[in-house]
Amino acid sequence: MQPRNSPYQSRARANFTRNRTQTTRNRSQLKHADIARFINKSVVTETVEAFVPQHRFSDFPIEQRLKDAIIRKGYTEPTPIQDRTIAHILRKADVVGIANTGTGKTAAFLIPLINKILVQQRERVLIIVPTRELAVQIAEELNGFARHLNVRGTVCVGGTGIGRQIQELRARPHFVIGTPGRLKDLLERKVLNLSEFRTAVLDEADRMLDMGFIKDMRRILSLLPTPRHTLFFSATISLEIKKLVGEFLTNPIEISVKTGDTAASVEQDIVRIPPGQTKLDVLQKLLTQPEFNKVLIFGRTKHGVEKLSKILISQGFRAESIHGNKLQGRRQKALDSFKRAQVQILVATDVAARGLDIDSVSHVINYDLPASHEDYIHRIGRTGRAGKRGKALTFIEHM
Ligand code: ADP
Ligand code: MG
């Protein structure tokens, strides 16, 4: 079933204002059926049916030094999506990989692609992602594997000096990990030559193909030589996006190891705001409870997010904020201090909803409702990751 607020409209950058009004109208019509989708208390408390991988990392036909790097990183066995996709990527098949949030999709494409480079040093890989912080995170994961393997990657994202990126590109790194806007800029300046890249990954593929980015994707991918090895990964691929898969991938294998819509490790509930109280009142009460020790709060607008974080700080909470109105350096710093648990709270727009891997987030709170069910899935997927459990609460007003 399609979500009531089609994400492909509400996310279009060009139509932002018009769609925002529409989203607001839809939001006020929220029905009980929608609210029911924010509740899931039947969280798996123990592993009911243990996943038995078909492979071990040692079985994959990959270089021994890469196997050693995987062990050094502390990965003992493949996660389901890694188990099912790595062999296909190794034989150079186009793959659409769909798996719940926090289940290791990054390594599912990094491991076979690093191996590709170890086997053939001239290979180069382009990874396109929707947000700057996600690009940085993937580069860190790459370094975690490739540090001792002489495989190099560069991050090309907006909001930071382009000069250094141009310099780094001159050294022809094997992996270029970027966001669409900056990649386009580098292409226009002719400092990025995509004719050398035979492999492309779209992480958070559905987000990359929704209306705001699709033209950029067509343009960028058209500059890679054919045949091209193309991989799509996400926790959500809607029917609309599935229709586009054939345009970008050749004879793709679709591998879905989803256990349900949302990760089973996230306990979900709604919080009704009682008459006479505000969302802020309710939030404050929650945040003083000891178990709310690492809380990611989602708000709808940049302004609202900044305001909420300031209020929380003025009330003595240790909080940071992340949104598009902030300088990139400060955005990354806010995220890092939350990652390192130097602050209890990160207040964020949906810029933090996709892909970010933050260890042990205790709670995700939807202070403002997400614009679509996909956004909901990705937001709450910041908790309950890598085998841990988490809780998601969605605030509901006046119903
Ligand atoms: P996804 O992209 O599916 O949301 P990530 O790739 O961000 O998930 O991985 C989530 C977390 O799981 C990361 O902290 C990552 O280091 C960890 N992880 C990935 N693969 C394994 C593995 N095979 N064994 C143990 N931990 C893993
Ligand atoms: Mg991911």
Side-chain angles (χ1 to χ4, degrees), residues 57 70 73-79 81-82 99-109 137 141 145 203-204 355-357 359 381-382 385-387:
F57 284 121
I70 295 168
K73 205 165 187 306
Y75 294 2
T76 49
E77 62 175 34
T79 66
I81 190 71
Q82 292 162 6
N100 290 116
T101 48
T103 59
K105 292 187 285 294
T106 319
F109 60 81
Q137 179 182 300
E141 178 132 9
F145 288 117
D203 194 20
E204 307 294 339
L356 296 187
D357 184 52
D359 188 36
R382 297 318 100 212
R385 300 175 66 79

PDB file of all heavy atoms in Angstrom, residues 57 70 73-79 81-82 99-109 137 141 145 203-204 355-357 359 381-382 385-387, ligand 1:
ATOM      1  N   PHE A  57      32.644 -15.632   6.159  1.00  0.00           N
ATOM      2  CA  PHE A  57      33.513 -14.723   5.423  1.00  0.00           C
ATOM      3  C   PHE A  57      34.676 -15.493   4.796  1.00  0.00           C
ATOM      4  O   PHE A  57      35.121 -15.199   3.695  1.00  0.00           O
ATOM      5  CB  PHE A  57      34.031 -13.600   6.325  1.00  0.00           C
ATOM      6  CG  PHE A  57      33.004 -12.536   6.610  1.00  0.00           C
ATOM      7  CD1 PHE A  57      32.609 -12.243   7.904  1.00  0.00           C
ATOM      8  CD2 PHE A  57      32.424 -11.820   5.566  1.00  0.00           C
ATOM      9  CE1 PHE A  57      31.666 -11.267   8.162  1.00  0.00           C
ATOM     10  CE2 PHE A  57      31.475 -10.830   5.813  1.00  0.00           C
ATOM     11  CZ  PHE A  57      31.097 -10.549   7.113  1.00  0.00           C
ATOM     12  N   ILE A  70      38.570  -8.031   7.581  1.00  0.00           N
ATOM     13  CA  ILE A  70      37.214  -8.214   8.117  1.00  0.00           C
ATOM     14  C   ILE A  70      37.295  -8.720   9.563  1.00  0.00           C
ATOM     15  O   ILE A  70      36.587  -8.229  10.451  1.00  0.00           O
ATOM     16  CB  ILE A  70      36.400  -9.197   7.230  1.00  0.00           C
ATOM     17  CG1 ILE A  70      36.190  -8.594   5.833  1.00  0.00           C
ATOM     18  CG2 ILE A  70      35.063  -9.532   7.872  1.00  0.00           C
ATOM     19  CD1 ILE A  70      35.651  -9.589   4.806  1.00  0.00           C
ATOM     20  N   LYS A  73      38.295  -6.055  11.883  1.00  0.00           N
ATOM     21  CA  LYS A  73      37.199  -5.128  12.152  1.00  0.00           C
ATOM     22  C   LYS A  73      36.204  -5.723  13.155  1.00  0.00           C
ATOM     23  O   LYS A  73      35.306  -5.031  13.636  1.00  0.00           O
ATOM     24  CB  LYS A  73      36.488  -4.788  10.838  1.00  0.00           C
ATOM     25  CG  LYS A  73      35.774  -3.456  10.888  1.00  0.00           C
ATOM     26  CD  LYS A  73      35.393  -2.969   9.511  1.00  0.00           C
ATOM     27  CE  LYS A  73      34.834  -1.565   9.534  1.00  0.00           C
ATOM     28  NZ  LYS A  73      33.713  -1.330  10.431  1.00  0.00           N
ATOM     29  N   GLY A  74      36.351  -7.005  13.418  1.00  0.00           N
ATOM     30  CA  GLY A  74      35.509  -7.621  14.435  1.00  0.00           C
ATOM     31  C   GLY A  74      34.237  -8.259  13.899  1.00  0.00           C
ATOM     32  O   GLY A  74      33.342  -8.613  14.668  1.00  0.00           O
ATOM     33  N   TYR A  75      34.134  -8.414  12.587  1.00  0.00           N
ATOM     34  CA  TYR A  75      32.960  -9.088  12.020  1.00  0.00           C
ATOM     35  C   TYR A  75      33.247 -10.575  11.958  1.00  0.00           C
ATOM     36  O   TYR A  75      34.169 -11.003  11.270  1.00  0.00           O
ATOM     37  CB  TYR A  75      32.655  -8.583  10.601  1.00  0.00           C
ATOM     38  CG  TYR A  75      32.220  -7.135  10.494  1.00  0.00           C
ATOM     39  CD1 TYR A  75      32.138  -6.303  11.601  1.00  0.00           C
ATOM     40  CD2 TYR A  75      31.861  -6.598   9.259  1.00  0.00           C
ATOM     41  CE1 TYR A  75      31.738  -4.989  11.496  1.00  0.00           C
ATOM     42  CE2 TYR A  75      31.460  -5.278   9.138  1.00  0.00           C
ATOM     43  CZ  TYR A  75      31.406  -4.471  10.257  1.00  0.00           C
ATOM     44  OH  TYR A  75      31.012  -3.178  10.131  1.00  0.00           O
ATOM     45  N   THR A  76      32.442 -11.363  12.684  1.00  0.00           N
ATOM     46  CA  THR A  76      32.731 -12.795  12.700  1.00  0.00           C
ATOM     47  C   THR A  76      31.914 -13.561  11.662  1.00  0.00           C
ATOM     48  O   THR A  76      32.413 -14.483  11.034  1.00  0.00           O
ATOM     49  CB  THR A  76      32.490 -13.399  14.091  1.00  0.00           C
ATOM     50  OG1 THR A  76      31.213 -12.963  14.540  1.00  0.00           O
ATOM     51  CG2 THR A  76      33.545 -12.952  15.079  1.00  0.00           C
ATOM     52  N   GLU A  77      30.636 -13.172  11.495  1.00  0.00           N
ATOM     53  CA  GLU A  77      29.881 -13.833  10.432  1.00  0.00           C
ATOM     54  C   GLU A  77      29.029 -12.823   9.673  1.00  0.00           C
ATOM     55  O   GLU A  77      28.683 -11.762  10.197  1.00  0.00           O
ATOM     56  CB  GLU A  77      29.032 -14.982  10.970  1.00  0.00           C
ATOM     57  CG  GLU A  77      27.974 -14.578  11.964  1.00  0.00           C
ATOM     58  CD  GLU A  77      27.113 -15.786  12.342  1.00  0.00           C
ATOM     59  OE1 GLU A  77      27.640 -16.915  12.398  1.00  0.00           O
ATOM     60  OE2 GLU A  77      25.906 -15.588  12.582  1.00  0.00           O
ATOM     61  N   PRO A  78      28.691 -13.149   8.408  1.00  0.00           N
ATOM     62  CA  PRO A  78      27.941 -12.195   7.592  1.00  0.00           C
ATOM     63  C   PRO A  78      26.528 -11.984   8.131  1.00  0.00           C
ATOM     64  O   PRO A  78      25.908 -12.921   8.640  1.00  0.00           O
ATOM     65  CB  PRO A  78      27.872 -12.862   6.219  1.00  0.00           C
ATOM     66  CG  PRO A  78      28.741 -14.059   6.261  1.00  0.00           C
ATOM     67  CD  PRO A  78      29.012 -14.389   7.678  1.00  0.00           C
ATOM     68  N   THR A  79      26.027 -10.774   8.020  1.00  0.00           N
ATOM     69  CA  THR A  79      24.620 -10.519   8.302  1.00  0.00           C
ATOM     70  C   THR A  79      23.814 -11.072   7.119  1.00  0.00           C
ATOM     71  O   THR A  79      24.385 -11.357   6.055  1.00  0.00           O
ATOM     72  CB  THR A  79      24.351  -9.003   8.438  1.00  0.00           C
ATOM     73  OG1 THR A  79      24.573  -8.388   7.167  1.00  0.00           O
ATOM     74  CG2 THR A  79      25.244  -8.362   9.493  1.00  0.00           C
ATOM     75  N   ILE A  81      21.923  -9.813   4.772  1.00  0.00           N
ATOM     76  CA  ILE A  81      22.063  -9.149   3.462  1.00  0.00           C
ATOM     77  C   ILE A  81      23.471  -9.370   2.900  1.00  0.00           C
ATOM     78  O   ILE A  81      23.643  -9.550   1.691  1.00  0.00           O
ATOM     79  CB  ILE A  81      21.685  -7.642   3.537  1.00  0.00           C
ATOM     80  CG1 ILE A  81      21.602  -7.008   2.132  1.00  0.00           C
ATOM     81  CG2 ILE A  81      22.650  -6.836   4.396  1.00  0.00           C
ATOM     82  CD1 ILE A  81      20.444  -7.428   1.301  1.00  0.00           C
ATOM     83  N   GLN A  82      24.459  -9.423   3.774  1.00  0.00           N
ATOM     84  CA  GLN A  82      25.831  -9.709   3.315  1.00  0.00           C
ATOM     85  C   GLN A  82      25.911 -11.139   2.805  1.00  0.00           C
ATOM     86  O   GLN A  82      26.503 -11.420   1.759  1.00  0.00           O
ATOM     87  CB  GLN A  82      26.819  -9.484   4.470  1.00  0.00           C
ATOM     88  CG  GLN A  82      26.936  -8.023   4.881  1.00  0.00           C
ATOM     89  CD  GLN A  82      27.548  -7.806   6.263  1.00  0.00           C
ATOM     90  OE1 GLN A  82      28.009  -8.749   6.908  1.00  0.00           O
ATOM     91  NE2 GLN A  82      27.544  -6.560   6.723  1.00  0.00           N
ATOM     92  N   ALA A  99      17.179  -4.536   2.829  1.00  0.00           N
ATOM     93  CA  ALA A  99      17.248  -5.139   4.163  1.00  0.00           C
ATOM     94  C   ALA A  99      16.929  -4.075   5.192  1.00  0.00           C
ATOM     95  O   ALA A  99      17.161  -2.886   4.956  1.00  0.00           O
ATOM     96  CB  ALA A  99      18.638  -5.708   4.415  1.00  0.00           C
ATOM     97  N   ASN A 100      16.423  -4.523   6.334  1.00  0.00           N
ATOM     98  CA  ASN A 100      16.041  -3.584   7.387  1.00  0.00           C
ATOM     99  C   ASN A 100      17.198  -2.675   7.775  1.00  0.00           C
ATOM    100  O   ASN A 100      18.373  -3.005   7.562  1.00  0.00           O
ATOM    101  CB  ASN A 100      15.540  -4.342   8.620  1.00  0.00           C
ATOM    102  CG  ASN A 100      14.191  -5.000   8.380  1.00  0.00           C
ATOM    103  OD1 ASN A 100      14.079  -6.215   8.402  1.00  0.00           O
ATOM    104  ND2 ASN A 100      13.177  -4.194   8.127  1.00  0.00           N
ATOM    105  N   THR A 101      16.838  -1.561   8.372  1.00  0.00           N
ATOM    106  CA  THR A 101      17.835  -0.603   8.837  1.00  0.00           C
ATOM    107  C   THR A 101      18.771  -1.263   9.855  1.00  0.00           C
ATOM    108  O   THR A 101      18.339  -2.079  10.673  1.00  0.00           O
ATOM    109  CB  THR A 101      17.119   0.586   9.503  1.00  0.00           C
ATOM    110  OG1 THR A 101      16.150   0.084  10.430  1.00  0.00           O
ATOM    111  CG2 THR A 101      16.408   1.453   8.475  1.00  0.00           C
ATOM    112  N   GLY A 102      20.030  -0.916   9.772  1.00  0.00           N
ATOM    113  CA  GLY A 102      20.999  -1.378  10.772  1.00  0.00           C
ATOM    114  C   GLY A 102      21.437  -2.817  10.634  1.00  0.00           C
ATOM    115  O   GLY A 102      21.858  -3.436  11.605  1.00  0.00           O
ATOM    116  N   THR A 103      21.340  -3.377   9.419  1.00  0.00           N
ATOM    117  CA  THR A 103      21.684  -4.793   9.252  1.00  0.00           C
ATOM    118  C   THR A 103      22.897  -4.997   8.342  1.00  0.00           C
ATOM    119  O   THR A 103      23.079  -6.081   7.772  1.00  0.00           O
ATOM    120  CB  THR A 103      20.475  -5.600   8.711  1.00  0.00           C
ATOM    121  OG1 THR A 103      20.076  -5.047   7.451  1.00  0.00           O
ATOM    122  CG2 THR A 103      19.305  -5.563   9.674  1.00  0.00           C
ATOM    123  N   GLY A 104      23.714  -3.977   8.190  1.00  0.00           N
ATOM    124  CA  GLY A 104      25.007  -4.179   7.522  1.00  0.00           C
ATOM    125  C   GLY A 104      25.013  -4.076   6.003  1.00  0.00           C
ATOM    126  O   GLY A 104      25.807  -4.747   5.335  1.00  0.00           O
ATOM    127  N   LYS A 105      24.161  -3.209   5.458  1.00  0.00           N
ATOM    128  CA  LYS A 105      24.141  -3.056   3.993  1.00  0.00           C
ATOM    129  C   LYS A 105      25.461  -2.458   3.477  1.00  0.00           C
ATOM    130  O   LYS A 105      25.894  -2.780   2.377  1.00  0.00           O
ATOM    131  CB  LYS A 105      22.938  -2.201   3.565  1.00  0.00           C
ATOM    132  CG  LYS A 105      21.596  -2.915   3.808  1.00  0.00           C
ATOM    133  CD  LYS A 105      20.415  -2.160   3.234  1.00  0.00           C
ATOM    134  CE  LYS A 105      20.006  -0.938   4.016  1.00  0.00           C
ATOM    135  NZ  LYS A 105      19.473  -1.216   5.370  1.00  0.00           N
ATOM    136  N   THR A 106      26.070  -1.584   4.275  1.00  0.00           N
ATOM    137  CA  THR A 106      27.304  -0.935   3.807  1.00  0.00           C
ATOM    138  C   THR A 106      28.384  -1.966   3.468  1.00  0.00           C
ATOM    139  O   THR A 106      28.961  -1.942   2.376  1.00  0.00           O
ATOM    140  CB  THR A 106      27.849   0.018   4.897  1.00  0.00           C
ATOM    141  OG1 THR A 106      26.749   0.719   5.485  1.00  0.00           O
ATOM    142  CG2 THR A 106      28.832   1.010   4.318  1.00  0.00           C
ATOM    143  N   ALA A 107      28.652  -2.855   4.414  1.00  0.00           N
ATOM    144  CA  ALA A 107      29.697  -3.854   4.165  1.00  0.00           C
ATOM    145  C   ALA A 107      29.268  -4.825   3.069  1.00  0.00           C
ATOM    146  O   ALA A 107      30.118  -5.415   2.388  1.00  0.00           O
ATOM    147  CB  ALA A 107      30.032  -4.608   5.445  1.00  0.00           C
ATOM    148  N   ALA A 108      27.957  -4.987   2.866  1.00  0.00           N
ATOM    149  CA  ALA A 108      27.478  -5.881   1.801  1.00  0.00           C
ATOM    150  C   ALA A 108      27.984  -5.408   0.442  1.00  0.00           C
ATOM    151  O   ALA A 108      28.281  -6.221  -0.433  1.00  0.00           O
ATOM    152  CB  ALA A 108      25.952  -5.967   1.804  1.00  0.00           C
ATOM    153  N   PHE A 109      28.093  -4.088   0.248  1.00  0.00           N
ATOM    154  CA  PHE A 109      28.676  -3.657  -1.035  1.00  0.00           C
ATOM    155  C   PHE A 109      30.164  -3.337  -0.926  1.00  0.00           C
ATOM    156  O   PHE A 109      30.920  -3.558  -1.863  1.00  0.00           O
ATOM    157  CB  PHE A 109      27.879  -2.505  -1.684  1.00  0.00           C
ATOM    158  CG  PHE A 109      27.739  -1.222  -0.908  1.00  0.00           C
ATOM    159  CD1 PHE A 109      28.758  -0.277  -0.889  1.00  0.00           C
ATOM    160  CD2 PHE A 109      26.559  -0.927  -0.229  1.00  0.00           C
ATOM    161  CE1 PHE A 109      28.613   0.922  -0.194  1.00  0.00           C
ATOM    162  CE2 PHE A 109      26.409   0.277   0.468  1.00  0.00           C
ATOM    163  CZ  PHE A 109      27.448   1.203   0.489  1.00  0.00           C
ATOM    164  N   GLN A 137      30.532   8.794   6.776  1.00  0.00           N
ATOM    165  CA  GLN A 137      30.434   7.534   7.509  1.00  0.00           C
ATOM    166  C   GLN A 137      30.869   6.340   6.649  1.00  0.00           C
ATOM    167  O   GLN A 137      31.566   5.438   7.119  1.00  0.00           O
ATOM    168  CB  GLN A 137      28.990   7.362   7.971  1.00  0.00           C
ATOM    169  CG  GLN A 137      28.727   6.088   8.727  1.00  0.00           C
ATOM    170  CD  GLN A 137      27.250   5.986   9.095  1.00  0.00           C
ATOM    171  OE1 GLN A 137      26.727   6.845   9.796  1.00  0.00           O
ATOM    172  NE2 GLN A 137      26.578   4.962   8.599  1.00  0.00           N
ATOM    173  N   GLU A 141      33.914   3.666   7.223  1.00  0.00           N
ATOM    174  CA  GLU A 141      33.791   2.198   7.196  1.00  0.00           C
ATOM    175  C   GLU A 141      34.766   1.602   6.178  1.00  0.00           C
ATOM    176  O   GLU A 141      35.404   0.591   6.432  1.00  0.00           O
ATOM    177  CB  GLU A 141      32.344   1.798   6.889  1.00  0.00           C
ATOM    178  CG  GLU A 141      32.163   0.281   6.804  1.00  0.00           C
ATOM    179  CD  GLU A 141      30.974  -0.252   7.594  1.00  0.00           C
ATOM    180  OE1 GLU A 141      30.164   0.548   8.094  1.00  0.00           O
ATOM    181  OE2 GLU A 141      30.876  -1.490   7.702  1.00  0.00           O
ATOM    182  N   PHE A 145      38.193  -1.114   6.767  1.00  0.00           N
ATOM    183  CA  PHE A 145      38.598  -2.333   6.065  1.00  0.00           C
ATOM    184  C   PHE A 145      39.913  -2.142   5.327  1.00  0.00           C
ATOM    185  O   PHE A 145      40.773  -3.009   5.306  1.00  0.00           O
ATOM    186  CB  PHE A 145      37.550  -2.725   5.002  1.00  0.00           C
ATOM    187  CG  PHE A 145      36.274  -3.255   5.546  1.00  0.00           C
ATOM    188  CD1 PHE A 145      35.081  -2.586   5.326  1.00  0.00           C
ATOM    189  CD2 PHE A 145      36.243  -4.444   6.256  1.00  0.00           C
ATOM    190  CE1 PHE A 145      33.891  -3.077   5.808  1.00  0.00           C
ATOM    191  CE2 PHE A 145      35.049  -4.938   6.743  1.00  0.00           C
ATOM    192  CZ  PHE A 145      33.867  -4.250   6.525  1.00  0.00           C
ATOM    193  N   ASP A 203      23.520   4.196  -2.532  1.00  0.00           N
ATOM    194  CA  ASP A 203      23.065   3.801  -1.205  1.00  0.00           C
ATOM    195  C   ASP A 203      21.860   4.685  -0.872  1.00  0.00           C
ATOM    196  O   ASP A 203      21.824   5.844  -1.286  1.00  0.00           O
ATOM    197  CB  ASP A 203      24.181   3.989  -0.172  1.00  0.00           C
ATOM    198  CG  ASP A 203      23.862   3.281   1.147  1.00  0.00           C
ATOM    199  OD1 ASP A 203      23.020   2.372   1.153  1.00  0.00           O
ATOM    200  OD2 ASP A 203      24.460   3.647   2.180  1.00  0.00           O
ATOM    201  N   GLU A 204      20.895   4.133  -0.153  1.00  0.00           N
ATOM    202  CA  GLU A 204      19.607   4.828   0.021  1.00  0.00           C
ATOM    203  C   GLU A 204      19.024   5.123  -1.375  1.00  0.00           C
ATOM    204  O   GLU A 204      18.594   6.239  -1.671  1.00  0.00           O
ATOM    205  CB  GLU A 204      19.762   6.109   0.839  1.00  0.00           C
ATOM    206  CG  GLU A 204      20.451   5.921   2.188  1.00  0.00           C
ATOM    207  CD  GLU A 204      19.638   5.085   3.164  1.00  0.00           C
ATOM    208  OE1 GLU A 204      18.406   4.974   2.978  1.00  0.00           O
ATOM    209  OE2 GLU A 204      20.230   4.520   4.094  1.00  0.00           O
ATOM    210  N   GLY A 355      20.458   6.343   6.893  1.00  0.00           N
ATOM    211  CA  GLY A 355      21.763   5.680   6.850  1.00  0.00           C
ATOM    212  C   GLY A 355      22.684   5.869   8.031  1.00  0.00           C
ATOM    213  O   GLY A 355      23.604   5.086   8.207  1.00  0.00           O
ATOM    214  N   LEU A 356      22.482   6.907   8.843  1.00  0.00           N
ATOM    215  CA  LEU A 356      23.469   7.176   9.891  1.00  0.00           C
ATOM    216  C   LEU A 356      23.494   6.052  10.919  1.00  0.00           C
ATOM    217  O   LEU A 356      22.463   5.581  11.376  1.00  0.00           O
ATOM    218  CB  LEU A 356      23.201   8.516  10.566  1.00  0.00           C
ATOM    219  CG  LEU A 356      23.336   9.735   9.660  1.00  0.00           C
ATOM    220  CD1 LEU A 356      23.215  11.026  10.466  1.00  0.00           C
ATOM    221  CD2 LEU A 356      24.649   9.718   8.887  1.00  0.00           C
ATOM    222  N   ASP A 357      24.705   5.632  11.247  1.00  0.00           N
ATOM    223  CA  ASP A 357      24.896   4.510  12.168  1.00  0.00           C
ATOM    224  C   ASP A 357      25.469   5.059  13.470  1.00  0.00           C
ATOM    225  O   ASP A 357      26.656   5.329  13.573  1.00  0.00           O
ATOM    226  CB  ASP A 357      25.856   3.503  11.525  1.00  0.00           C
ATOM    227  CG  ASP A 357      26.023   2.257  12.380  1.00  0.00           C
ATOM    228  OD1 ASP A 357      24.993   1.656  12.749  1.00  0.00           O
ATOM    229  OD2 ASP A 357      27.170   1.898  12.706  1.00  0.00           O
ATOM    230  N   ASP A 359      25.895   4.436  17.472  1.00  0.00           N
ATOM    231  CA  ASP A 359      25.855   3.308  18.379  1.00  0.00           C
ATOM    232  C   ASP A 359      24.881   3.555  19.545  1.00  0.00           C
ATOM    233  O   ASP A 359      24.879   4.631  20.140  1.00  0.00           O
ATOM    234  CB  ASP A 359      27.279   3.062  18.908  1.00  0.00           C
ATOM    235  CG  ASP A 359      27.356   1.776  19.709  1.00  0.00           C
ATOM    236  OD1 ASP A 359      26.658   0.818  19.328  1.00  0.00           O
ATOM    237  OD2 ASP A 359      28.084   1.744  20.712  1.00  0.00           O
ATOM    238  N   GLY A 381      14.770   3.700  12.314  1.00  0.00           N
ATOM    239  CA  GLY A 381      15.889   2.784  12.060  1.00  0.00           C
ATOM    240  C   GLY A 381      17.222   3.286  12.580  1.00  0.00           C
ATOM    241  O   GLY A 381      18.241   2.601  12.466  1.00  0.00           O
ATOM    242  N   ARG A 382      17.246   4.486  13.184  1.00  0.00           N
ATOM    243  CA  ARG A 382      18.494   4.950  13.817  1.00  0.00           C
ATOM    244  C   ARG A 382      18.692   4.275  15.164  1.00  0.00           C
ATOM    245  O   ARG A 382      19.755   4.401  15.773  1.00  0.00           O
ATOM    246  CB  ARG A 382      18.481   6.477  14.018  1.00  0.00           C
ATOM    247  CG  ARG A 382      18.422   7.361  12.775  1.00  0.00           C
ATOM    248  CD  ARG A 382      19.306   6.906  11.647  1.00  0.00           C
ATOM    249  NE  ARG A 382      18.535   6.193  10.634  1.00  0.00           N
ATOM    250  CZ  ARG A 382      19.000   5.206   9.885  1.00  0.00           C
ATOM    251  NH1 ARG A 382      20.225   4.741  10.059  1.00  0.00           N
ATOM    252  NH2 ARG A 382      18.252   4.622   8.969  1.00  0.00           N
ATOM    253  N   ARG A 385      19.934  -1.076  16.169  1.00  0.00           N
ATOM    254  CA  ARG A 385      20.823  -1.461  15.076  1.00  0.00           C
ATOM    255  C   ARG A 385      21.841  -2.509  15.523  1.00  0.00           C
ATOM    256  O   ARG A 385      22.166  -2.610  16.700  1.00  0.00           O
ATOM    257  CB  ARG A 385      21.571  -0.225  14.545  1.00  0.00           C
ATOM    258  CG  ARG A 385      20.631   0.844  14.009  1.00  0.00           C
ATOM    259  CD  ARG A 385      21.394   2.096  13.607  1.00  0.00           C
ATOM    260  NE  ARG A 385      22.290   1.912  12.489  1.00  0.00           N
ATOM    261  CZ  ARG A 385      21.906   1.873  11.224  1.00  0.00           C
ATOM    262  NH1 ARG A 385      20.626   2.012  10.913  1.00  0.00           N
ATOM    263  NH2 ARG A 385      22.789   1.707  10.269  1.00  0.00           N
ATOM    264  N   ALA A 386      22.342  -3.247  14.534  1.00  0.00           N
ATOM    265  CA  ALA A 386      23.431  -4.216  14.744  1.00  0.00           C
ATOM    266  C   ALA A 386      23.159  -5.141  15.933  1.00  0.00           C
ATOM    267  O   ALA A 386      23.990  -5.324  16.809  1.00  0.00           O
ATOM    268  CB  ALA A 386      24.763  -3.480  14.929  1.00  0.00           C
ATOM    269  N   GLY A 387      21.939  -5.683  15.967  1.00  0.00           N
ATOM    270  CA  GLY A 387      21.603  -6.667  16.991  1.00  0.00           C
ATOM    271  C   GLY A 387      21.145  -6.074  18.314  1.00  0.00           C
ATOM    272  O   GLY A 387      20.752  -6.800  19.216  1.00  0.00           O
TER     273      GLY A 387
HETATM  274  P1  ADP B   1      22.460  -0.501   7.225  1.00  0.00           P
HETATM  275  O1  ADP B   1      23.155   0.170   6.077  1.00  0.00           O
HETATM  276  O2  ADP B   1      21.818  -1.811   6.856  1.00  0.00           O
HETATM  277  O3  ADP B   1      21.507   0.397   7.953  1.00  0.00           O
HETATM  278  P2  ADP B   1      25.117  -0.465   8.418  1.00  0.00           P
HETATM  279  O4  ADP B   1      25.876  -0.919   7.227  1.00  0.00           O
HETATM  280  O5  ADP B   1      25.191   0.982   8.779  1.00  0.00           O
HETATM  281  O6  ADP B   1      23.569  -0.895   8.308  1.00  0.00           O
HETATM  282  O7  ADP B   1      25.588  -1.392   9.645  1.00  0.00           O
HETATM  283  C1  ADP B   1      25.011  -1.271  10.912  1.00  0.00           C
HETATM  284  C2  ADP B   1      26.032  -1.661  11.988  1.00  0.00           C
HETATM  285  O8  ADP B   1      26.311  -3.044  11.931  1.00  0.00           O
HETATM  286  C3  ADP B   1      27.365  -0.952  11.823  1.00  0.00           C
HETATM  287  O9  ADP B   1      27.782  -0.471  13.076  1.00  0.00           O
HETATM  288  C4  ADP B   1      28.289  -2.019  11.310  1.00  0.00           C
HETATM  289  O10 ADP B   1      29.624  -1.800  11.720  1.00  0.00           O
HETATM  290  C5  ADP B   1      27.717  -3.275  11.936  1.00  0.00           C
HETATM  291  N1  ADP B   1      27.966  -4.498  11.128  1.00  0.00           N
HETATM  292  C6  ADP B   1      27.838  -4.633   9.790  1.00  0.00           C
HETATM  293  N2  ADP B   1      28.109  -5.888   9.388  1.00  0.00           N
HETATM  294  C7  ADP B   1      28.439  -6.592  10.493  1.00  0.00           C
HETATM  295  C8  ADP B   1      28.841  -7.956  10.728  1.00  0.00           C
HETATM  296  N3  ADP B   1      28.933  -8.839   9.745  1.00  0.00           N
HETATM  297  N4  ADP B   1      29.102  -8.310  12.011  1.00  0.00           N
HETATM  298  C9  ADP B   1      29.002  -7.408  13.021  1.00  0.00           C
HETATM  299  N5  ADP B   1      28.639  -6.119  12.866  1.00  0.00           N
HETATM  300  C10 ADP B   1      28.346  -5.701  11.621  1.00  0.00           C
END
